[in-house]
Amino acid sequence: MRIAITGATGFVGRNLVPALQASGQELLLVGRDPQKIQALFPGIPACGYPELAQKAAGFDVLVHLAVANSDAALSEAEFRAVN
C-alpha cells in the first residue's frame, strides 16, 4: 500500500511511521519542513505541502495527522480553523 502522511513529526506520526515502514508500506511524509522530516526518518521520501498533490498522485491513502499544537501562538479562531 502507498501511504502519504502529514504530521509525521508529531507524537502519533513518530510512532506510526516506523510501524508502517516495518510492515513494508511505501510512504511519503509531508510537512512544513521536509528537511526536519528527513532528519527524523532518513530514507523515507518527504516533501512540503506545495508538492503534495504531485508527489502523492496515485497513492492509496492520505493519513492527515498535522495539527496546530495547543501551545502555538495562534488566536482561538486560527486554532479552530486548522484543527
Side-chain angles (χ1 to χ4, degrees), residues 15-56:
N15 289 280
L16 181 62
V17 169
L20 291 173
Q21 183 182 32
S23 70
Q25 307 308 315
E26 181 180 343
L27 304 176
L28 172 66
L29 307 181
V30 185
R32 291 183 300 260
D33 187 348
Q35 291 177 341
K36 178 181 177 182
I37 297 169
Q38 285 287 281
L40 191 57
F41 300 109
I44 300 177
C47 71
Y49 292 110
E51 298 84 35
L52 173 60
Q54 177 190 17
K55 299 279 186 174

Side-chain angles (χ1 to χ4, degrees), residues 1-3 26 52-61:
M1 181 171 277
R2 300 175 75 201
I3 305 169
E26 181 180 343
L52 173 60
Q54 177 190 17
K55 299 279 186 174
F59 272 59
D60 300 303
V61 68

